[in-house]
Amino acid sequence: MEKIRPAVKSFFIFLAILSFIILTGRAQERRLSYEIKVELFPETAMLHGQETIVWTNTTGDYIPDIHFHLYWNAFKNELSTLAREARREKMFSRYRAGKDGRGWIKINSLTTATGKDLLPAASFISPDEPHNPHDQTVLRVALPEPLAPGETIALNIDFQAKVPRNGLRTGYFKDGFFIAQWFPKPGVYEEGRGWNCHEYHLNSEFFADFADFRVEITVPSRMVAGACGQEIEKKEDTASGKTTYTYVGKNIHDFAWTASPRFIKVERWFRAAEEVTPEEYQKMAEILGLTPEEIKLPDVLMILLIEKQHEKQIERHFKALRAAIKYYGLWYGPYPYPTVTMVDPPFRTGSGGMEYPTLFTAGTSVILEKDVLSPEQVIVHEFGHGYWYGMVANNEFEEAWLDEGINTYSTGKVTDLAYGPGRLPVRFKGIPLNWLIKTPAVYDWQLGRIVSSPVAALDPIVTESWKFYNSMSYSANVYYRASTALHTLERLLGEKTWSRIMRTYHMRYRFRHPKTEDFIRVVNEISGRDMRWFFEEFFFSAKDFDCGLASVETRLKPERYNGIFDDLPTKNPGQVKQLQKKNSSRKEKIYETAITLRRYGQAKPSPEFPLKLKVEFEDGSVEWREWDAQTRWVRFEFEKPARVKTACLDPEAVWLVDTNLANNSYSSAGPGVRLAAATSRILQLAQNILLTISGLL
Amino acid sequence: MNGCSYIGQGVRRASARFRLAVYLWLILMVLALLAAAPVNSLIRNQLGQLYFPVKPLQPFELYLVDVFLTNQHFFSSFAGFLLSFLSLAVVLFVFLNAGLFGRMLTPDPVVTFREFLADGCRHFWRFLLSLLVFLPFLAIFFLLYRLLSAPLNLWSRQAVTEWPVIIASNLRMLLAILLWTAFKLFLDLARIIIVHERKKVIHAYAAALRFLRRNFLKLWGLYLLLGLGVVLVSFLLLLSVSFSGSATPAGLFFSILLAQLFIIFRLFARQAFIGLEYIYFLENRGNQG
Ligand SMILES: [Zn+2]
């Protein structure tokens, strides 16, 4: 714990809240606010809550109803949309629960401020295709009369909920709880289009409106609690043995919390002046075309709730979080909230690696390797969601790539810079084996490209989350193929343009709900080029991009060509004569080299962005060619006094979307000892397996 | 005779017939070459001319993944090939085991390849049968394993930290290995009796059970002691393989050499187990109630 007196600390928090309100500005015009009081009963894993929602119709529509998410009903029975989807994916056992393990949420009463009971006018709906009459995760509440533009409605809800044992992103084990998606939450009303309020799907995250939250959480005093927003009060009632924590969160669109007796709470400050040097500000400001003053970062209070079993990893957690706050802040915009809470989630609650506004969960293991970037990558990623999802709040149901893809791209940039490449983990029975089996150190973009290549032709990146071919296609497309495409776009447009695109997109859509079209608009605007083709090829269609060398042939040119060469005019009469002359007069050997390139995949670049081919000859000379890959193949021919030594398509590795890099290069020498090592290792593996089988018989 | 001298004699018996390990190593090598040939030729075909500069675009291993991912149809048919290959190999292994036991149990330590094959033929059917008779015992093995690991599972399921989970999981593995050695010892003893006393399979199993009723604990202890030595040497060999590095031709040569040494050592260890058990059986035969 940092030594800082409580009074000084609260002063800092006050300053931070104040600057936050000034920074975000629109606190008063927010159309939604929540006041929730909730108590956790750990023995029965039940919640009892009272919620007041004040919702203002800021659109021009007359709104007849309100749609609520009741997410925990996804764990209520085996016919919910989530359960059906999990069964299709053969992942059902993960969410199957005994009678006590099921989760649900029940609204006891729902009244207006005047006391009118709206519950009789409420019904479950299934807005998504295919229609599922058994799903109870969306509740439609008809209003007594349509809500007029500008009108405000206040609703009082009393609800009870059972925490799911094997929930998705939420759950409990013994007395460790992680509570997310737990309260009745309205969808997002879109002007002219109505409510955007989807069912809880297996492959999908969330979408909600920015709001102000005030949440009072009562838990047994032996538990340590943490939540989104800032803790402003903690009241212990010794008689009942219970403690009530009050949290305030401004301009956030979700609220999650956690409580466990096995937490240690640690606080540290991110002090911008110590983390970022003036040179770094200067350099970044130049890239962005801003002044160093404009990109100055604020201090942030970092709160860590970590399981006691992981106590030794506290500094490792903070180091990763510092790197994330620094680079996301420098690149995309300063972190605007006064605090960030990092949770090492309670053991076996299935809630690790998830983002909530101003709070995220990571997750680690008691035995860690030094050079494997776990939990670092998760920490950077989930903090990063504070930017991509938390502030730039796209619809995760419909266009998940906007947060997952952009954030996977950003995570890789941060970890590559702060840590360099990380080794792939090898574990057996929970024990790291990296000391025995040497795995390669890889950069995030290298791994992302490989992971995404099998799904390139399966689904377009821009697909509604529950409509992907399967979970694998969802995650590989939305996270890794999107991030690989963004890396490619960055390499096509150059670092400076790209940095300005990302910053503009972030700052313009901070505290808003942008769509893919908004992103494309910013790309085109800042780059000054029409890049729509790129999105059409790689985001809106499922096409494989694979360009490669089909063949490389070098042969000694014959001394002379036989046959009749008369002087009748041909298309290119001079050339033949010239060649004949050159051949007969030359002393050195001439080699003819033909390199054939093929476009194996369906996707192709724009003619404005051709692929480059670099050919190196044994005499040291180098030739470059360009190919726009509009046709399926092309052949380049060279006449040189030397054989070809190496040929490399896209040598600067711009086109990372290429799903097969193994066919992009040629060298007469081959990869040498590595190939022999690989094949001999496969042979040894076969020997050992055969020997083991023979030993068993 | 004390424990160490049993092990010493077993190892000596194995060393005297070291040729057997070499024969088996050669046969295994041919089999492994055959099994790995399709994959290795695919890799050579796809990466044989790869340009891999000092600062490569990605580690070589990721190029292997590229090849794997872009040739998935190949790998699904390769899996079919492997399956039929393995079922043939299983029959061959029974034959080789018959030869191995046959030659390990002869008084004459000079082993020729012809004799090895002849023993394989001689005992093949009884060895195959001995495997079938072993099946009910295998069921007992799994039953015992489930029974004994139940408390570990319970402990692990209730844990609120990761340690019990990791420890239980490793203890389960250890338990499985220990149990398996006991059952393997039994199977091998039955085969020793088949070869040594020319008994029918069922009679051999009965004799083995009778013998183990008196001698099980001591024999198992010796078996485990030898096993510990084998594990230690294996560990050192594996560690040196992983440290030898294969970035240079000399390093690669050295690591291939060590890897082959490891295979030969494993074969030799198998001989030593049979030797130990045979010596123990010979010494304590009169001692079965
Ligand atoms: Zn994510």
Side-chain angles (χ1 to χ4, degrees), chain A residues 594-627:
Chain A
I595 298 180
T596 310
L597 306 181
R598 271 182 71 179
R599 176 162 62 79
Y600 297 98
Q602 266 192 304
K604 55 186 177 191
S606 140
E608 276 184 71
F609 294 91
L611 282 95
K612 286 181 186 162
L613 172 71
K614 182 186 179 188
V615 190
E616 226 187 309
F617 293 87
E618 278 173 347
D619 61 357
S621 62
V622 175
E623 296 274 345
W624 288 85
R625 294 287 184 278
E626 284 189 351
W627 181 41

Side-chain angles (χ1 to χ4, degrees), chain A residues 205 353-355 381-382 385 388 396 403-405 407-408 479:
Chain A
E205 293 179 327
M354 186 58 197
E355 66 276 11
H381 182 83
E382 305 309 336
H385 271 302
W388 310 117
E396 291 188 297
D403 58 289
E404 293 301 358
N407 194 35
T408 300
Y479 290 71

Side-chain angles (χ1 to χ4, degrees), chain B residues 50-236:
Chain B
L50 181 80
Y51 175 46
F52 197 78
V54 186
K55 275 182 86 179
L57 179 57
Q58 60 178 8
F60 190 74
E61 288 84 348
L62 293 194
Y63 283 107
L64 291 172
V65 180
D66 263 327
V67 170
F68 176 76
L69 291 175
T70 41
N71 292 281
Q72 295 210 41
H73 53 280
F74 164 86
F75 281 95
S76 53
S77 42
F78 175 67
F81 158 78
L82 214 56
L83 216 67
S84 23
F85 182 87
L86 278 181
S87 33
L88 283 178
V90 162
V91 179
L92 181 64
F93 289 150
V94 175
F95 174 83
L96 294 177
N97 276 339
L100 175 66
F101 273 80
R103 281 300 98 190
M104 275 303 292
L105 269 53
T106 51
D108 177 14
V110 181
V111 178
T112 66
F113 194 60
R114 182 192 287 263
E115 286 168 332
F116 171 64
L117 294 184
D119 271 351
C121 292
R122 193 172 303 135
H123 307 301
F124 175 76
W125 287 110
R126 278 183 299 163
F127 265 59
L128 196 64
L129 199 60
S130 74
L131 270 181
L132 293 178
V133 175
F134 188 64
L135 287 179
F137 293 102
L138 202 63
I140 297 174
F141 163 78
F142 282 114
L143 206 75
L144 260 178
Y145 171 70
R146 292 202 64 152
L147 216 70
L148 292 173
S149 58
L152 286 174
N153 293 338
L154 194 73
W155 181 48
S156 160
R157 265 202 301 272
Q158 295 294 318
V160 289
T161 69
E162 203 187 339
W163 283 115
V165 180
I166 293 177
I167 294 168
S169 157
N170 283 280
L171 283 179
R172 267 200 303 269
M173 186 178 65
L174 191 68
L175 174 73
I177 292 171
L178 284 179
L179 265 181
W180 175 250
T181 56
F183 277 78
K184 188 74 202 336
L185 170 155
F186 171 55
L187 172 65
D188 282 355
L189 182 65
R191 285 166 164 187
I192 285 172
I193 296 171
I194 287 173
V195 173
H196 181 77
E197 303 191 343
R198 315 236 150 215
K199 276 197 176 166
K200 286 202 168 133
V201 174
I202 299 283
H203 294 158
Y205 265 99
L209 273 177
R210 271 199 306 278
F211 181 81
L212 287 179
R213 208 164 52 200
R214 281 285 173 88
N215 301 291
F216 173 72
L217 277 183
K218 187 155 184 217
L219 181 54
W220 195 35
L222 288 173
Y223 214 79
L224 290 179
L225 208 63
L226 180 60
L228 198 68
V230 170
V231 167
L232 274 176
V233 176
S234 300
F235 179 76
L236 289 177

Side-chain angles (χ1 to χ4, degrees), chain A residues 255-557:
Chain A
F255 195 96
W257 55 281
T258 182
S260 164
R262 286 171 295 281
F263 273 144
I264 304 174
K265 188 176 173 182
V266 194
E267 292 182 357
R268 295 267 197 284
W269 278 91
F270 172 88
R271 299 215 184 275
E274 290 164 16
E275 303 288 341
V276 191
T277 63
E279 294 75 40
E280 281 175 306
Y281 277 127
Q282 187 61 41
K283 193 178 159 217
M284 200 61 221
E286 268 164 34
I287 289 173
L288 294 173
L290 299 167
T291 65
E293 219 31 60
E294 282 173 296
I295 61 166
K296 270 261 146 62
L297 301 187
D299 291 353
V300 181
L301 178 65
M302 305 181 288
I303 302 161
L304 168 64
L305 290 174
I306 191 165
E307 289 235 300
K308 279 188 192 117
Q309 57 173 332
H310 302 138
E311 200 176 350
K312 284 196 179 128
Q313 300 170 22
I314 289 173
E315 294 317 318
R316 224 175 137 158
H317 276 71
F318 278 118
K319 188 186 170 202
L321 183 55
R322 280 197 179 96
I325 298 177
K326 172 177 168 179
Y327 290 115
Y328 275 85
L330 279 177
W331 297 339
Y332 309 132
Y335 183 75
Y337 300 102
T339 64
V340 57
T341 303
M342 159 164 62
V343 180
D344 167 33
F347 191 54
R348 284 180 163 157
T349 54
S351 54
M354 186 58 197
E355 66 276 11
Y356 302 94
T358 72
L359 176 148
F360 64 89
T361 62
T364 182
S365 180
V366 283
I367 314 176
L368 283 188
E369 303 93 329
K370 270 207 186 88
D371 45 4
V372 174
L373 296 182
S374 167
E376 284 81 359
Q377 252 160 345
V378 185
I379 292 171
V380 173
H381 182 83
E382 305 309 336
F383 168 80
H385 271 302
Y387 280 74
W388 310 117
Y389 146 87
M391 290 179 249
V392 176
N394 57 285
N395 187 330
E396 291 188 297
F397 289 93
E398 295 173 3
E399 298 180 314
W401 84 269
L402 275 174
D403 58 289
E404 293 301 358
I406 294 180
N407 194 35
T408 300
Y409 160 85
S410 311
T411 308
K413 296 288 272 190
V414 173
T415 49
D416 289 356
L417 204 60
Y419 294 95
R423 282 199 189 278
L424 299 174
V426 191
R427 292 184 155 230
F428 183 67
K429 304 247 157 209
I431 294 177
L433 291 180
N434 276 52
W435 53 272
L436 186 63
I437 300 164
K438 290 267 178 298
T439 53
V442 292
Y443 285 106
D444 210 62
W445 58 265
Q446 293 172 328
L447 204 61
R449 187 197 69 78
I450 285 271
V451 172
S452 67
S453 60
V455 299
L458 217 46
D459 291 296
I461 292 170
V462 183
T463 299
E464 286 166 318
S465 298
W466 66 96
K467 290 186 179 165
F468 278 90
Y469 180 74
N470 56 20
S471 280
M472 217 269 283
S473 175
Y474 162 76
S475 48
N477 263 303
V478 154
Y479 290 71
Y480 299 109
R481 195 153 156 265
S483 101
T484 305
L486 293 176
H487 275 289
T488 305
L489 201 51
E490 174 180 22
R491 289 161 190 228
L492 287 173
L493 296 175
E495 189 199 0
K496 197 185 225 176
T497 308
W498 183 250
S499 304
R500 293 179 183 190
I501 288 170
M502 293 301 280
R503 182 149 188 127
T504 308
Y505 172 66
H506 179 84
M507 291 309 283
R508 189 175 293 171
Y509 291 101
R510 214 174 229 212
F511 306 119
R512 292 173 67 190
H513 302 304
K515 295 186 187 302
T516 301
E517 288 303 325
D518 299 312
F519 186 76
I520 299 174
R521 212 170 298 127
V522 174
V523 170
N524 290 347
E525 177 194 317
I526 305 296
S527 69
R529 314 180 78 143
D530 184 3
M531 298 303 288
R532 175 157 281 279
W533 65 271
F534 187 87
F535 291 91
E536 291 296 342
E537 289 297 285
F538 300 109
F539 284 78
F540 294 113
S541 52
K543 291 181 188 169
D544 190 21
F545 183 89
D546 178 17
C547 290
L549 300 172
S551 69
V552 177
E553 294 150 313
T554 291
R555 61 176 193 139
L556 192 63
K557 186 172 179 175

Side-chain angles (χ1 to χ4, degrees), chain A residues 539-586:
Chain A
F539 284 78
F540 294 113
S541 52
K543 291 181 188 169
D544 190 21
F545 183 89
D546 178 17
C547 290
L549 300 172
S551 69
V552 177
E553 294 150 313
T554 291
R555 61 176 193 139
L556 192 63
K557 186 172 179 175
E559 280 292 316
R560 47 177 299 155
Y561 287 105
N562 295 322
I564 302 159
F565 300 98
D566 52 29
D567 285 335
L568 278 177
T570 59
K571 261 189 185 166
N572 206 345
Q575 207 182 13
V576 176
K577 268 191 169 175
Q578 222 178 0
L579 276 173
Q580 292 271 312
K581 217 169 113 188
K582 204 170 143 195
N583 274 1
S584 52
S585 64
R586 75 162 190 234

